[in-house]
Amino acid sequence: MAIKPRVPVREQPAEERIHNFNSVPYGYSEEEAIAEAQRCIQCPNPTCEAGCPVNIKIKDMIRLIKEGKFAESYLLTKQDNAFPACTGRVCPQEDQCEGVCILVKTGQPINIGKLEAFVADWGREHNVTEETVSASKEKKVAVVGSGPAGLACAAELRKFGYQVTMFETLHKPGGVLVYGIPNFRLPKEIVQHEIDYLEEIGVDIQLNMTVGQNISFDELRENYDAIFLGTGAGAPQFMGIEGEKLNGVYSANEFLIRANLMKSYLFPEWDTPISVGKKVGVVGAGNVAMDAARTALRLGADEVYIIYRRTMEFSPARNEEIEHAREEGIIFKELVNPVRFVGNDQGWVTGVELIKMELSEQDSSGRPRPVPVEGSEFIMELDTVIEALGTVPNRLFLSRAPGLKTDRKGVILADDNRMTSIEGVFGGGDATSGAATVIKALGEGKRAAESIRDYLEGK
Amino acid sequence: MSHKITRKMDLNSDDFYVEVEAPLVAERFRAGNFTILMTVPHGERIPMSIMKAEDGKISMFIKKLGKTSRELYKELDTFENVIGPMGKPIDIKNYGTVVVASDLVCGHAENYAICKALKEAGNKVISYQTFPTEKEIYPEEVLANDVCDEFHLTTEDGSKGEEGHYIDLLEERLENGEKVDIVFAGGSLPNLKELGEMTKEYNIPTIVTVRQIMVDASGMCGACRVFVDGEMQLACIDGPMFDAHKIDWGAALRRPKMYAEMEKVALEHCKELGRCE
């Protein structure tokens, strides 16, 4: 039997969406979702589920959609993943479930991401809820950080019945889902709804609370039976080259925090300004670089460049993000690397000196190593520079938690059960793995919750 | 999570005093810490110095500059968020003879807090507070005269108190060979740079507040990066006070002006809404 092609995802046309921050994909309708679900051959041994870091029962999720049982599909998905509307939108499905779908051979794997987002949206729009908390237990767990790892851990611990208090430094919960990923990729009301669910099941979320400043790590250890550290990798890395002090040079973190958390795109109705010139260069080519580039475009830049030292086939970004960026007119400047930023006498950046690169033998990342071509430097004029070079764990918390073992970069060391070097203190997400993906953090948060349960029950 | 403003008063025609309920900040505040304010839900996160923290309340001095401060002055009786304490406190210990100096709104708030902490730690504390003229001098109840051992109220035109800026008066003191073990100062950044140049000649350690634009103020964005002794430091978590002799002042003076044009736009918008004057 011939397999039909994927049901296409309707999207805002590129020429329209570059003027707004609304979601790019519209999401499947019920009919489209059923048609896409019908393509699934319901493998006896579903490889997609093994490819999922939180082991969603994908096969049954899809079967229930096919049967039109959307509420059941939603509740089933929610059992394994409290944040399906988020992960359906931001997971790198091509490297996970969809990448190992049996249909990948045809070039048309099931669109599992969009089906997951569909059931999540359907459940939210139809107010589907179910009591999931077990009998209440007395033991208390502190969760530090309200990003993906902390959220997943808190949701799971609460389902086990523990008393969970979550501490967040910022004035809004959600971590990178709120401050980092733009609205056009992950609408904030969707994130808020999935966080509201945590509050509904009884997680106490304490905002504006920095562990190490408002409450000490030792106080947490005294007052809670276990601690989960989901402190993330929120600190930006800079290139460390000349000209980084110039005005108009941003870290991607700052640029995105202004745009997303502080809603600079609504300035002056919202108070936080953001400075975007006509020509913007984004250094780096990962998901964050794509987010920053597409945000700059929406904020009114005429030309936005991705400045990348390799070629785009080696970019760590999701295919969908690269494709969307390309459709929107982002220009990929490959095989170049900044040497220094140049500025005018008022101290504003006016350009970047780039050096051409060529690809050499494979490096430790399995990608070809970019090598500079001597004497190939040239100046590219720019009004705004955004450095998207990846992030590292925030040293603010680490400096206040002596005794916690980390590696050189400040990544907290955790064992197979996600326990850190301090007994009863667990960790997950980017704090323990360096910068990775939302879904990996959710998976680790969830697994840590299971280890915390075993620890608290003396197993 | 709104915070009630319990007192607001004019300090002069430009600056005003605000006292707000913020028990979490007040409980852990130490001299050198600051707070992050959001006046309204759609507001900016703005770093602000704290003059004193008592009974679950903090007091601040604020200049009517842009949209946030003017709207706060005219319209608001609450803050949406009062966050902190943020930043590193100063090393509170007995240095011997300490000079604490200020010439601008936030600096005056810090002056009070630092004097109080260092006096309690057994130092001989000498405070200088400089205002342009008699007209700008703050009411006595908020000056540092009660929390130091030797108080110098100065005006640049000599209309009241001693004549001259604290930099010049301090230099005279040093020239006379009077002993000063360390200087803490806050206020105008160009003046702090000048102060550093002066005290360097006398080899007096000088710790100053490098006020920069911040967003999260927890080490996440890098907006407040300051270059100290060639190393990148973040004013929000490594500061806000740094060694004046080691700061790259060029960048530190420039970066706070990054949004000057947009700040005008925000203020105009606020005026159109009738929420600012």
Side-chain angles (χ1 to χ4, degrees), chain B residues 82-128:
Chain B
V82 182
I83 309 168
M86 317 299 274
K88 266 193 192 161
I90 59 164
D91 195 3
I92 299 166
K93 62 178 187 187
N94 194 339
Y95 296 91
T97 303
V98 181
V99 165
V100 186
S102 56
D103 62 358
L104 257 186
V105 54
C106 273
H108 292 313
E110 294 151 17
N111 195 316
Y112 184 96
I114 294 172
C115 282
K116 184 166 183 284
L118 292 182
K119 188 170 159 62
E120 283 165 9
N123 291 279
K124 180 186 178 197
V125 179
I126 302 160
S127 172
Y128 285 88

Side-chain angles (χ1 to χ4, degrees), chain A residues 169-172 179 206-210 213-216 219 234-236 238 244-251 253-254 257-258 261-262 267-275 345-348 387 394-396 400, chain B residues 1 24 28 33 38-45 67-68 71 81 83-88 213-216 218-223 225 227 232-234 237-238 248 251 254-255 257-259 262-263 265-266 269:
Chain A
T169 293
L170 295 173
H171 60 278
K172 277 191 188 151
Y179 76 73
Q206 297 276 330
L207 300 174
N208 299 331
M209 286 288 280
T210 305
Q213 292 275 98
N214 297 110
I215 182 164
S216 73
E219 282 170 89
F238 287 89
E244 265 168 350
K245 301 165 192 176
L246 292 165
N247 286 355
V249 177
Y250 280 106
S251 72
N253 256 23
E254 180 184 356
I257 290 172
R258 283 180 181 273
L261 177 71
M262 308 310 295
F267 181 88
E269 276 74 33
W270 284 59
D271 293 349
T272 306
I274 195 164
S275 164
D345 50 9
Q346 276 95 52
W348 279 84
E387 294 189 38
N394 192 330
R395 60 195 157 83
L396 173 61
R400 311 292 157 85
Chain B
M1 269 211 309
L24 274 176
R28 313 236 167 180
N33 286 138
M38 283 179 76
T39 51
V40 287
H42 54 275
E44 269 192 276
R45 291 171 66 98
K67 183 259 167 186
T68 300
E71 185 187 44
N81 289 303
I83 309 168
M86 317 299 274
K88 266 193 192 161
I213 292 169
M214 295 182 186
V215 189
D216 63 281
S218 62
M220 286 174 58
C221 78
R225 56 192 186 272
F227 295 82
M232 189 175 87
Q233 303 269 298
L234 299 177
I237 59 173
D238 302 312
D248 174 347
R254 209 162 54 215
R255 294 188 57 83
K257 294 179 191 152
M258 184 155 159
Y259 298 100
M262 297 187 83
E263 281 159 13
V265 173
H269 179 75

